[in-house]
Amino acid sequence: MTGPRYTPLIETLPSTVPFVGPETQERRMGHPFRARLGANENGFGPSPRAIAAMAAAAGDVWMYGDPENYDLKQALAAHHGCAPENIVVGEGIDALLGYLVRLTVAEGDAVVTSLGAYPTFNFHVAGYGGTLHRVPYRGDHEDPEALIALAREVRPKLIYVANPDNPMGSAHPGEVILRMVEQVPEGTLLVLDEAYVELAPEGTAPAIPPEDPRVIRFRTFSKAHGMAGARVGYAIGARPLIQAFDKIRNHFGMSRISQAGALAALRDATWQAYMHRLIAAARDRIGVIAAENGLSALPSATNFVAIDCGRDGAFARAVLEELTGDGIFVRMPGVAPLDRCIRVSCGPEADLDRFAAALPGALDRARARA
Amino acid sequence: MTGPRYTPLIETLPSTVPFVGPETQERRMGHPFRARLGANENGFGPSPRAIAAMAAAAGDVWMYGDPENYDLKQALAAHHGCAPENIVVGEGIDALLGYLVRLTVAEGDAVVTSLGAYPTFNFHVAGYGGTLHRVPYRGDHEDPEALIALAREVRPKLIYVANPDNPMGSAHPGEVILRMVEQVPEGTLLVLDEAYVELAPEGTAPAIPPEDPRVIRFRTFSKAHGMAGARVGYAIGARPLIQAFDKIRNHFGMSRISQAGALAALRDATWQAYMHRLIAAARDRIGVIAAENGLSALPSATNFVAIDCGRDGAFARAVLEELTGDGIFVRMPGVAPLDRCIRVSCGPEADLDRFAAALPGALDRARARA
């Protein structure tokens, strides 16, 4: 008796996962985190109207969700000034990125991204046998010119760029992204991850005609809307591309409760405006905490802040480990020189208080280890 | 400006979807269904404890769900008498079937299933370039002997069998499935879809050691647990196979609310027992309604009943269309001779009353059309 025969591609894939969840860490530690500030979650939570809509939908969960996500797409189309046919809704940006890679990347196909950018995108590219070509960050920003230059060389199926960026929190003005779109090589698609763009300065989101075939942009309810656990993402792009998702997507993959929650969240503009202020204030607070400890916080266009710990990656990792041991969940970039930073999510005052109380001791202990 | 370059496989895929949702039909008709009895949903709904758990979890939805589904896997392992490492949880059986096909089926690989069996499985096989080989039903049952015989011939990566079966509602005793497992050719994996098995007679679910590498079984919270819209399915199999899902699955794909709901539903054995009685009673009622109209209901081991309309597929389709026009949502099998039937989900008394009231007229009008 042998097991199943995997595909040759699957046989080559490592058993790695893109992220270890905080729950896994908690189980290893034997106690819960006191402050959950590591996954760029939005601890301020979703709109009370969204919570109410989800609670109300719980009783209707015997029904599958609408596989066309009709109501949500109508609302999103009105919100973005495009047609519903320009929008595909999916189980978070992660799932949609997986579908997009599957649509375009066959074994050996080239894909361009930045060294240190979103690991889950890389996970999908590797998972479909694509070859990743990476460009270093420049000045803690993804480097549009270098991405385009490399793309002209390797003619990739996809170029990934996040604006604002994760894990550094930096953002390019929309015009820089527009210039990228103009320079995308023929047959290459620009994958514009805008997971955090609602939290960025005015002008960060470029005006791109939805029918432009050179770019697809991704948005989510996980960050500004505080609904990471609901798994609602969407992409905006040209109709033929959006329609192609129907060839492969999990049509009945959306939770009916999440559909209801996203719709209610989208309609609550008052809460959104309030949320943007709360997050901006929390960003400032994290900057203050950093300064109190002699560290500098990088400017952030997102709901998290990268704090430069002032030394190398080993030191930042020591700081992170000391914080973890003290019950404070934060994460850090994976590659140098970004990994001189720890990354702290914007969250409620009480969580930031705990972070503020824990940081000096963590720094002391990390320095003592070095 | 051209669009993206799709993979050669994607270019060959048709733009079909496995199922049109009832909401799509409602939008076309311009009015909602009066009775939603077509999608094998469970209109009795989930355990009140599951509803409460989901409503309570709505406020926590700012957090991603645990990507390891730890608590749910622990509970499922205890329930099934296996290790948590034998279980993978995913966004419904649909998503898990997609992952399994991706793990095993490369372009041109053979897969064996029954003619008229679950279309979404076929959608995934086609989507990864597999070649489907189909065996006809025999006596409204999937035909294990013929499936194995064909498998010995074409040496497929996968053999799909649902027990109980959808769309006919029939079931083989567990020993028949055990015999299939014993006969699975070397290098072939038996895909045992047990979406409805909790509702089947004692002995339908065979005792298969979880480490048996020849079979993987699929279960869901969509049917007996009444949580179709929550998207929680799981598979039980040998550790190496279960671990392989980690190479490709959407690790953060599960809704946190759905995780909480499934855990609560699993713990509410009292409600489950009550639900099994309600569904059995509704099956009987559908049988009575069929008999009142001179039709025969097929024996069902599921939460739906296939009603033999007594003529050919065209007639059953006419009956279905007339019911639809009258606001009654039902579905029917896609291929002959199964398509002499319409398929009616077990639901609350009021819904079945509406179906009972609508059926005589629908039959009359269908007969007048013939």
Side-chain angles (χ1 to χ4, degrees), chain B residues 5-181:
Chain B
R5 289 170 289 163
Y6 300 102
T7 71
L9 172 61
I10 292 294
E11 293 281 10
T12 67
L13 294 180
S15 286
T16 56
V17 302
F19 287 105
V20 174
E23 291 84 0
T24 306
Q25 294 179 255
E26 290 174 334
R27 287 188 289 269
R28 284 180 195 157
M29 296 189 302
H31 59 82
F33 282 114
R34 297 185 297 124
R36 183 161 161 142
L37 298 167
N40 299 354
E41 293 162 334
N42 175 354
F44 297 110
S47 151
R49 291 191 196 175
I51 295 176
M54 289 186 279
D60 289 337
V61 85
W62 63 272
M63 290 180 274
Y64 287 104
D66 172 14
E68 295 188 359
N69 298 290
Y70 182 88
D71 294 335
L72 184 54
K73 286 202 301 190
Q74 290 284 325
L76 287 168
H79 183 75
H80 289 290
C82 65
E85 293 79 12
N86 293 121
I87 295 175
V88 56
V89 173
E91 312 88 308
I93 289 180
D94 283 1
L96 290 168
L97 286 174
Y99 295 141
L100 178 66
V101 171
R102 182 174 163 197
L103 285 173
T104 54
V105 177
E107 290 183 50
D109 282 349
V111 172
V112 165
T113 185
S114 301
L115 183 61
Y118 194 46
T120 305
F121 178 73
N122 301 351
F123 171 80
H124 290 310
V125 172
Y128 287 101
T131 302
L132 281 160
H133 300 263
R134 294 180 179 88
V135 169
Y137 277 59
R138 193 169 65 174
D140 298 326
H141 282 70
E142 295 187 37
D143 187 344
E145 284 176 28
L147 287 164
I148 290 292
L150 182 58
R152 290 200 165 143
E153 194 183 313
V154 304
R155 312 286 296 184
K157 289 290 187 76
L158 305 173
I159 308 175
Y160 176 89
V161 67
N163 195 52
D165 168 68
N166 174 22
M168 302 310 276
S170 60
H172 291 290
E175 307 88 70
V176 173
I177 301 299
L178 273 185
R179 209 151 50 229
M180 272 192 92
V181 173

Side-chain angles (χ1 to χ4, degrees), chain A:
Chain A
M1 291 196 309
T2 60
R5 290 169 289 162
Y6 301 103
T7 70
L9 173 60
I10 293 294
E11 293 281 11
T12 68
L13 294 180
S15 286
T16 56
V17 302
F19 287 105
V20 174
E23 290 84 0
T24 306
Q25 293 179 257
E26 288 173 335
R27 287 187 289 270
R28 283 180 195 157
M29 296 189 300
H31 59 82
F33 282 114
R34 297 184 297 124
R36 183 162 162 142
L37 298 168
N40 299 354
E41 294 162 332
N42 175 355
F44 297 110
S47 151
R49 293 191 194 176
I51 295 176
M54 289 185 280
D60 289 336
V61 84
W62 63 273
M63 291 180 273
Y64 288 105
D66 172 16
E68 297 189 356
N69 298 290
Y70 183 89
D71 294 335
L72 184 54
K73 286 202 301 190
Q74 290 284 326
L76 288 169
H79 183 75
H80 289 291
C82 66
E85 293 79 12
N86 293 121
I87 295 174
V88 56
V89 173
E91 312 88 308
I93 289 180
D94 283 1
L96 290 167
L97 286 174
Y99 296 141
L100 178 66
V101 172
R102 182 174 163 198
L103 285 173
T104 55
V105 176
E107 290 184 48
D109 282 349
V111 172
V112 165
T113 185
S114 300
L115 183 62
Y118 194 46
T120 305
F121 178 72
N122 300 351
F123 172 80
H124 290 311
V125 172
Y128 287 101
T131 302
L132 281 160
H133 300 265
R134 294 181 178 89
V135 168
Y137 278 58
R138 194 169 63 174
D140 297 326
H141 283 69
E142 295 187 36
D143 187 343
E145 284 176 31
L147 288 165
I148 290 292
L150 182 59
R152 290 203 164 141
E153 195 183 312
V154 304
R155 311 288 294 188
K157 289 289 187 77
L158 305 172
I159 308 175
Y160 176 89
V161 66
N163 195 51
D165 167 68
N166 175 22
M168 301 310 276
S170 61
H172 290 290
E175 307 89 71
V176 173
I177 301 299
L178 273 183
R179 207 150 53 229
M180 272 192 93
V181 173
E182 291 303 325
Q183 295 174 325
V184 165
E186 196 75 15
T188 294
L189 182 71
L190 184 68
V191 180
L192 176 57
D193 185 343
E194 297 186 321
Y196 300 95
V197 80
E198 298 94 340
L199 302 166
E202 192 79 24
T204 303
I208 300 170
E211 291 295 341
D212 191 320
R214 299 169 297 185
V215 59
I216 183 169
R217 55 209 302 178
F218 289 85
R219 300 285 183 98
T220 181
F221 284 84
S222 297
K223 307 302 179 184
H225 288 285
M227 292 175 54
R231 313 316 299 125
V232 188
Y234 59 102
I236 307 173
R239 285 169 210 233
L241 172 56
I242 296 302
Q243 206 172 2
F245 280 81
D246 275 345
K247 292 184 171 188
I248 57 160
R249 72 185 179 93
N250 186 5
H251 287 266
F252 287 84
M254 290 297 298
S255 156
R256 190 176 183 94
I257 295 172
S258 301
Q259 290 174 327
L263 191 58
L266 189 67
R267 287 177 175 157
D268 194 349
T270 310
W271 179 265
Q272 269 299 291
Y274 170 54
M275 181 55 55
H276 295 182
R277 284 203 192 280
L278 284 177
I279 287 170
R283 280 196 298 242
D284 288 352
R285 174 85 200 282
I286 296 170
V288 168
I289 296 167
E292 283 170 352
N293 288 274
L295 308 177
S296 66
L298 275 61
S300 168
T302 66
N303 73 324
F304 60 87
V305 177
I307 297 179
D308 186 339
C309 292
R311 299 196 195 173
D312 64 1
F315 179 69
R317 182 154 303 282
V319 175
L320 179 141
E321 286 169 2
E322 294 296 339
L323 286 168
T324 301
D326 200 12
I328 310 294
F329 171 49
V330 298
R331 283 199 178 124
M332 61 181 287
V335 300
L338 317 182
D339 66 355
R340 70 191 190 280
C341 299
I342 58 171
R343 196 191 66 180
V344 183
S345 307
C346 295
E349 204 63 13
D351 292 315
L352 296 184
D353 287 348
R354 288 185 204 107
F355 170 64
L359 184 58
L363 285 166
D364 285 346
R365 292 191 299 278
R367 283 179 191 128
R369 282 164 61 172

